[in-house]
Structure formats: C-alpha cells, structure tokens
Amino acid sequence: MPTYTDLDRPAQFLKGVGPKRADLLAKLGLMTARDVLFHVPHRYEDASTVSKIGALEPGMDCTIVGRVVSKGVLPTRRGLRIFQAVVRDSTGLIECSWPGQPFLDRTIARGDLLLLRGTVRFYHGRQFQPREYTVLAREKEEAAEESGTIFPVYPATEGLTHRQVRTLIAENLDDLLRQAKDEDRLPREIRERAGVAPLAQALEWLHRPASLAEAEQGRRRLAFEELFFLQLLYAQAHHRASTERPGIAFARRDTLVKPFHKSLPFTLTTAQKRVLKEIGEDMSSPRRMNRLLQGDVGSGKTIVALFAMLRAVENGHQAALMVPTEILAEQHARTLQKLLDGLPVGVTLLTGRLSTKQWKEVNYRIASGDADIVVGTHALIQEGVQFHRLGLVVVDEQHRFGVKQRLAIQEMGQNADTLVMSATPIPRSLALTLYGDLDISVLDERPPGRRPIKTALRSESSQPKVLKFVREEVRKGRQAYIVYPLVEESEKVELKAATAEFEQLSALFPDLRMAIIHGQMPGEEKDRVMRAFAAGEVDVLVSTTVIEVGIDVPNATVMVIEHAERFGLSQLHQLRGRVGRGSEDSFCILIFGGQGSLERLKVFAATEDGFAIAEADLRLRGAGDLFGARQSGLPAFRFANLESDLNLLSIARGEARAIVERDPELANHPDLREAIATRYEERARLFRVG
Ligand code: ADP
Ligand code: MG
C-alpha cells in the first residue's frame, strides 16, 4: 500500500490552479501534486553566458536577453517582408531582424522578455540576426532575468504555455519540495556511495538550477533511481534462479575436457580463456549458473560452449544445446560431431523433422541417459522430452527467444546450469538493462587468421556494376545474397518490391539459379530454400532479412544489401556476418538509396568489430531503435540515458546485488520492495519478484 501523503492530492489544489487549469494539466498527464513535482523541464535555456547588449560588436555570435520595446513588419523593395523588434537590456538597445518571417508579429509582443541566439551584423548600425528565440516571460510576468540565469523550459500543451507551467511550478515548488522529503526511497548509504543527491534536493536542482551542472546533478539522481530499482528487481530474479533449487557442483575431472583441448588445432584466445574461467567457476559452485555469453559471429562461442558441455558430461550429466531453427540444429550437430571426433561422446539431434519412430528412439536415449549431448530446437522443451540427468542447457542465438521462453528454458533444466549465447553484440549498458538477471561474459576478441570482409558503399546508380560483380563471383563458383529491407509498417509493399526485384533479376540472370526467401513464406518453404542454398543448388538468394540468423554457407562470398540506409548498423553487421565464412575473399556491398545518413554507413564500413558498431548504433540512433521496432523489451527510462550512464548503471547493479545478497527477499527493506513493484510492475510479475 502506498502511503498517503499531501503529494497525492489532486493538482487542482495547487496554488494558481482552478478547474480549468486542472483540465489542461490533465492533458499533460498531471493529475496529482506529485505528478506536477515530477514534471521536470525537458530542456534549459542557459542565459548564464548572455552578452550585454551594450557590448555587442559586429561579427559576434552570442546569446542576449532583453525586453521588446517596439516591433513591426517592414516590407522591402524586393517584396521580402521582415519582422523587426528592438530589444533592450540594462546596458542598451539593439535592432533584431528576421527576414521572411512576418508571422512572428503574431507571436512576439511588446514587453516580451526574449532570449535570442544569433549573430551581430552591421547594417545602418548594429543589427542582431537571431537564429533562435525563446519567450522567457510576457509583459506583466515577473522579470525572470533577475531570478536566475538558467531558464527551465517545460513540456507544455495547447492552452498552457511553457511559461505558464514554469510560473505555476515556481509558485508551488517550495511546498512540494517540503513534502518530497518523505518520498525518498533510496537508502542514505547507497545514495552517498553513488554520489547522488537526496530526492528533494535533486528535484529542486531540476526545477531551479543555478547552473546547467546542477540540473545535470538532479537528473543523475533520478536516473540512478530508475536504474537501481530495475537492477534490484534483476538481482532478486538472479538470486532466486540460482538458489531456488540446488544446483550441481561439477568437479574438475578433465577426462574429456583435457583431451578435447589437446585435440584443438589452435590455441584459445585470451577472451576465450577468460570466459571459460568465468563459466568454470559458475559450474564448480553449487549454485545454478545463469550466464549470458555475448560474442560476435566467429568469436568462438561454440568451442566455449562445448568445453562447458564436456565438463557436464564428464561428471555423468547430459548437456542440451537449443537453437532457433532446424537447419541450425542440424548444422550445430554436425559441427559438434566433427569437433568431438575420437572422443567417447555422442551427439544426438532432436528436431520436429523426426518420424514418430525416430522420435521415440531418440527420446528413449535421452531418457535413459545414453545421449550425452542433445542438440535441438524448441522441441527440446516440449512435453514428453525427459532427460535422465540434465546438467547444462546452452541456448544459442538467445535473442530469438523472448524473456518468457528464456525463463521457461531455465525451468526445463530443473537444477541444470544455463548458458545463453548471443551473436548480437550490444553495448554493456544495454546488456545490463535487458539481461540484468544474468551474469554476463563477453568474447570481445576474434580468433586470428580470419580474412577481413571487404565492405563497399555504392549508390543506386552503380547497381548494374554491382550485379556484374555478382555474376563474376558466381562464375567463379561462389554464391551470393541480395537482401531487401522489410519495414514492418508496409510489409506488403516491401514484399512486392522484393518480389518484383527478384523477377527482374531472374530475367537479367536467365542462366543463374535464383531463389527468393521472405518472412511470409511458410516455415517449411523457407527451410527448403535455405537447404537448397546451403547445398549449393542456388547461386543467388534474394531475400528479406529472414536470413539474419546464424546460417553457415562458407561458399557464399557476396552480400549485397539494398537500401542499406534503412537498416540499423547492428542488423547490417548480422547480415555481413553471413559471408566471410570460407577461405575465399568475401564482399559486402551496401547500396545507398539516397535518404538518411551516409555517415552511419561509413562508420559501419570502416570496422568489423560488432561491439564498436553496436556502440555507434546506440549513439546515433538511441536505445529504442537499436533492435528495430519488433523486439526491444527495454524499459522506457525518463531520466537514465543508456548512451552515457554506464558508470551510474554499474554502481546501481553493484549496490543492488549487494543488498539482495544480504536480504534476498528484501524483508528488511519494505520501501524498496514497494518501489520495485510500483515502478516495474509488469517485469516484476514476469520475474516473480516483489
Ligand atoms: P561462433 O559460435 O562465436 O560464431 P565458432 O565457435 O563457430 O564461433 O568459431 C568460428 C570458427 O573459428 C570455427 O571454425 C572455430 O573452429 C574457429 N575458432 C574458434 N576458436 C578459435 C581460436 N581460438 N583460434 C582459431 N580458430 C578458432
Ligand atoms: Mg554460433
């Protein structure tokens, strides 16, 4: 039960708010006094570096603040209409001029206090040419230039200007802040260790900052709170998953691990060794492992997973590897079999493609414990599959499974350890926010000896040349992908485009074996086409982005991406990872459709480091867009910024885990329990926390 405080009273009881104002506030979503208190500025006008009008010189680029003393629209001989206003501060007057903007006459009035940014010119004397303007106050309103040098600008709505919002909040702020003193849910020690302010202080800084730095300190505190409560939820989920049921303490027997290590024709990378150590410690511990392994395509995750599986098997347990599609399951089973050649370990494949008779047989071997390593699709978590002694579940390409499925997989293992792997590198801040209930390992190093993929950026007009190149590669016996973007909003239109292109290409390449694959095809059909391509029966595969997921066709050396500007960088990276898997030179050709940013694509073309690309993507597009519209699962933070708050996030995570370690159910922290439940209700339910 939330405690009733004065902040719960309807906004109408605030000073300066009547029924009409209350309706307008409601339009902004502000129903209670608390809502108003947390309605913080979305930006600030910094008038602390304002130039005095008396000191302006032609050529200066600066900000000024002054009152409008006269104004009007001036026609010129050439028909251009200019809005002009004379503005005054305590040091002098200057004429400001907006050519071609006569409409400003309706929005700027005499007596207005304006903040103007622009340049000083010489035109019959000094003249100011503003690029931007903000009305800080109207004629009768308080002369805010004396009350502070930073002007908060609030989200407003029709009928209620940002200035009115500012005045309203300013009038009530002291009362509201006094009441906010009881609202602080952050324990003092944590607040101090994190270096963030008490709640009331932070809110004051946000509403009434003496400097932009103060406003930022205010934001930091609220950002920390958002991050901390989410991490607290994750810490509880993590604790529960690892302790709810007893785990298995796998001994270091090395009867399989050692010979396997010896059989490898290469040495492990430093990153692989580090990650194996992290996994090894989890597996030795009697707590259940819940770990995410992130690493680019080709960073050597499979080998790492196999080490872990062998550790389980040599301890008399079984290991399961779960992948999103049947083709991938078959591919993985073959890879593992090859790697295990000569070792007394069996690999069993379980997919939906088995006949009833085979299914029974396989199931029997799984149930009897005969099957050491089982590779399969989600058929693995279907009812009826009974493991004899499952010790480890590895999930590949985990981003293809949602949170719910992931939790179901953890459940399936009874007391087995779980390792989920992702080939989609994401920045650490995002990983901690999306997968905070897991421990995270990162393979951030590529095995040596891989040939770089040549990435080129081409305009649409060079498409004929690109196609000629594709043809040459095919003539050499290679295969190619040509990918079209499929935007969710207009799937039909886009699909038509891909299909039309396919027909055009087929006419252009009558002698080549062409195929198309897209998301609206039935699964079996997609499977059939992919198999044909993998078997080398198709030269050119035209597709929408359905080929993103880890299929391995070493003979494919060309990836052409049409309208590359429509893809996120991380998506492009996934697509590029489809080539460069064999011993031949590989190419990724981005065709730029002319809209959007060429810079982004240049960043992409310049590196093959998936983590660097993901960081750039986060910086350039923001967290929400990073995965495309379809999946994100990201909480909507109001204050936290995943591009810049990694440090704050790490502190939040550390503190959250430390509290939960001492008080797993937060029995001694009712405030924190309540904060989690109100803030992250849905997520808390999903993770059975709170
Ligand atoms: P991922 O699963 O991360 O995509 P894989 O485990 O399939 O990567 O490894 C990609 C390729 O690199 C495989 O052919 C694998 O045998 C090889 N490989 C893995 N680790 C190393 C290493 N340390 N040195 C050289 N080659 C390696
Ligand atoms: Mg892989």
Side-chain angles (χ1 to χ4, degrees):
M1 271 289 289
T3 43
Y4 182 88
T5 75
D6 286 349
L7 289 177
D8 289 319
R9 70 193 190 278
Q12 195 178 331
F13 295 108
L14 293 172
K15 267 181 255 168
V17 181
K20 214 174 127 220
R21 271 280 169 90
D23 284 348
L24 289 168
L25 288 175
K27 273 200 346 201
L28 287 168
L30 311 179
M31 319 304 278
T32 65
R34 178 183 294 98
D35 294 340
V36 172
L37 178 60
F38 281 88
H39 187 64
V40 303
H42 58 111
R43 66 187 174 91
Y44 297 89
E45 284 294 352
D46 181 5
S48 62
T49 52
V50 166
S51 302
K52 292 291 172 213
I53 289 176
L56 297 183
E57 305 262 2
M60 281 171 73
D61 193 280
C62 56
T63 303
I64 61 173
V65 172
R67 292 270 180 189
V68 176
V69 294
S70 69
K71 59 148 198 169
V73 174
L74 210 79
T76 64
R77 251 179 281 150
R78 279 177 294 146
L80 182 73
R81 281 154 51 88
I82 302 179
F83 174 69
Q84 287 197 331
V86 175
V87 166
R88 173 167 65 202
D89 71 6
S90 60
T91 64
L93 292 165
I94 193 162
E95 179 183 87
C96 305
S97 154
W98 284 267
Q101 301 186 49
F103 49 85
L104 286 180
D105 199 31
R106 271 175 278 132
T107 46
I108 293 180
R110 259 187 63 170
D112 281 358
L113 181 69
L114 299 184
L115 179 140
L116 302 165
R117 260 189 258 285
T119 47
V120 185
R121 307 238 179 256
F122 190 82
Y123 185 79
H124 305 308
R126 298 178 314 166
Q127 190 184 61
F128 197 71
Q129 294 204 341
R131 276 190 305 279
E132 286 174 51
Y133 77 95
T134 308
V135 180
L136 297 176
R138 294 293 191 198
E139 182 165 19
K140 296 265 154 44
E141 288 169 356
E142 182 197 346
E145 73 263 50
E146 267 133 38
S147 71
T149 51
I150 304 291
F151 295 91
V153 182
Y154 288 91
T157 183
E158 208 184 320
L160 191 64
T161 66
H162 72 90
R163 288 178 312 281
Q164 289 168 317
V165 175
R166 191 178 76 216
T167 308
L168 189 159
I169 291 180
E171 273 180 16
N172 289 281
L173 191 57
D174 288 322
D175 278 351
L176 292 171
L177 289 174
R178 217 171 4 261
Q179 290 149 12
K181 293 223 159 69
D182 305 326
E183 294 266 311
D184 204 332
R185 297 282 173 271
L186 272 186
R188 191 169 54 91
E189 322 81 75
I190 291 183
R191 219 182 56 220
E192 284 171 358
R193 278 196 299 269
V196 297
L199 180 64
Q201 175 69 80
L203 285 164
E204 179 171 10
W205 280 342
L206 280 164
H207 287 293
R208 212 160 44 197
S211 65
L212 288 181
E214 260 189 19
E216 166 60 14
Q217 284 309 309
R219 183 202 69 84
R220 262 188 102 241
R221 146 73 205 219
L222 294 180
F224 179 76
E225 194 169 317
E226 279 177 331
L227 299 168
F228 174 70
F229 290 126
L230 180 62
Q231 289 302 320
L232 204 49
L233 184 160
Y234 281 145
Q236 281 191 282
H238 175 263
H239 188 272
R240 179 170 299 171
S242 53
T243 57
E244 198 168 45
R245 268 175 261 139
I248 307 157
F250 295 97
R252 249 175 241 285
R253 300 198 194 283
D254 282 349
T255 52
L256 293 171
V257 168
K258 207 169 222 161
F260 172 65
H261 196 169
K262 283 218 176 99
S263 77
L264 289 178
F266 46 73
T267 51
L268 296 175
T269 63
T270 313
Q272 280 172 321
K273 284 185 202 149
R274 185 188 63 235
V275 167
L276 278 172
K277 189 160 166 276
E278 289 163 356
I279 293 172
E281 279 162 15
D282 282 358
M283 290 187 77
S284 307
S285 133
R287 286 190 166 195
R288 290 178 70 200
M289 168 166 79
N290 272 295
R291 188 168 283 279
L292 169 67
L293 172 56
Q294 270 206 295
D296 235 330
V297 170
S299 59
K301 293 183 296 298
T302 310
I303 304 285
V304 167
L306 191 47
F307 268 103
M309 291 193 275
L310 291 178
R311 174 98 182 260
V313 174
E314 69 187 14
N315 273 273
H317 287 270
Q318 294 167 292
L321 171 61
M322 186 165 136
V323 301
T325 67
E326 303 197 330
I327 302 186
L328 280 173
E330 291 164 20
Q331 186 181 295
H332 264 104
R334 272 197 306 273
T335 309
L336 296 190
Q337 240 142 15
K338 232 183 276 163
L339 285 163
L340 291 171
D341 192 30
L343 289 173
V345 183
V347 177
T348 302
L349 181 65
L350 181 84
T351 73
R353 279 164 60 91
L354 298 180
S355 68
T356 318
K357 185 164 161 267
Q358 289 168 317
W359 177 271
K360 272 198 186 137
E361 220 174 88
V362 166
N363 250 317
Y364 177 76
R365 286 202 296 151
I366 294 174
S368 67
D370 254 10
D372 302 315
I373 294 178
V374 184
V375 181
T377 55
H378 55 271
L380 274 175
I381 48 173
Q382 265 158 20
E383 275 172 74
V385 181
Q386 282 286 339
F387 281 83
H388 174 62
R389 259 186 116 197
L390 186 58
L392 172 69
V393 183
V394 180
V395 186
D396 197 16
E397 307 292 350
Q398 67 78 39
H399 67 280
R400 295 266 297 179
F401 304 98
V403 175
K404 267 191 199 143
Q405 266 171 310
R406 170 156 68 72
L407 295 173
I409 293 163
Q410 271 160 247
E411 287 301 302
M412 138 204 181
Q414 300 287 339
N415 49 6
D417 282 353
T418 317
L419 179 68
V420 297
M421 306 201 289
S422 168
T424 310
I426 56 174
R428 184 162 173 80
S429 63
L430 232 68
L432 293 179
T433 302
L434 282 171
Y435 311 116
D437 59 318
L438 303 173
D439 294 305
I440 300 177
S441 290
V442 179
L443 281 178
D444 49 6
E445 184 187 349
R446 294 208 165 202
R450 273 181 51 113
R451 315 183 68 135
I453 299 167
K454 293 186 181 127
T455 303
L457 207 51
R458 294 284 178 267
S459 67
E460 262 173 352
S461 60
S462 35
Q463 211 200 24
K465 267 197 210 148
V466 173
L467 294 179
K468 197 165 149 249
F469 178 74
V470 168
R471 175 185 283 279
E472 278 163 22
E473 281 291 298
V474 171
R475 200 167 282 147
K476 288 190 215 156
R478 318 266 181 274
Q479 290 162 278
Y481 298 98
I482 301 182
V483 178
Y484 289 86
L486 194 79
V487 183
E488 268 167 79
E489 289 82 30
S490 56
E491 245 170 62
K492 284 219 179 82
V493 183
E494 299 286 337
L495 185 56
K496 233 169 89 191
T499 321
E501 276 301 322
F502 172 65
E503 275 155 19
Q504 229 173 323
L505 284 173
S506 304
L508 210 60
F509 293 152
D511 50 327
L512 303 191
R513 294 166 303 169
M514 316 270 301
I516 182 168
I517 188 168
H518 58 76
Q520 290 176 0
M521 277 159 64
E524 290 155 42
E525 181 79 7
K526 275 191 269 192
D527 243 37
R528 200 183 51 71
V529 175
M530 252 354 276
R531 277 174 210 284
F533 187 70
E537 293 156 10
V538 168
D539 300 314
V540 179
L541 183 61
V542 174
S543 89
T544 57
T545 50
V546 288
I547 51 157
E548 249 182 87
V549 172
I551 197 75
D552 201 354
V553 184
N555 192 46
T557 56
V558 186
M559 167 65 65
V560 178
I561 305 172
E562 302 269 354
H563 284 289
E565 75 281 357
R566 294 199 204 157
F567 291 89
L569 297 189
S570 301
Q571 244 179 327
L572 289 177
H573 181 66
Q574 286 298 308
L575 288 170
R576 180 168 58 184
R578 299 301 109 219
V579 296
R581 312 190 134 225
S583 50
E584 302 300 327
D585 277 340
S586 285
F587 308 88
C588 175
I589 305 167
L590 307 174
I591 300 194
F592 180 63
Q595 273 157 7
S597 155
L598 197 57
E599 283 316 304
R600 281 179 54 231
L601 298 182
K602 283 185 182 159
V603 168
F604 172 77
T607 178
E608 268 190 67
D609 177 344
F611 285 97
I613 288 169
E615 295 281 352
D617 218 7
L618 177 62
R619 217 171 43 243
L620 295 168
R621 294 209 303 170
D625 272 349
L626 211 57
F627 301 98
R630 120 188 84 92
Q631 173 236 13
S632 106
L634 270 183
F637 291 134
R638 268 186 79 194
F639 299 99
N641 180 345
L642 293 178
E643 288 120 78
S644 57
D645 286 335
L646 176 59
N647 191 26
L648 207 55
L649 173 54
S650 302
I651 300 172
R653 181 170 166 99
E655 293 290 349
R657 288 211 164 180
I659 287 201
V660 168
E661 200 56 44
R662 291 191 306 271
D663 182 11
E665 297 304 322
L666 298 177
N668 304 324
H669 296 86
D671 267 13
L672 296 181
R673 271 204 326 266
E674 186 200 309
I676 294 175
T678 47
R679 264 166 198 266
Y680 296 109
E681 193 185 350
E682 225 173 284
R683 214 168 280 248
R685 221 176 304 123
L686 193 58
F687 285 99
R688 296 182 298 127
V689 158

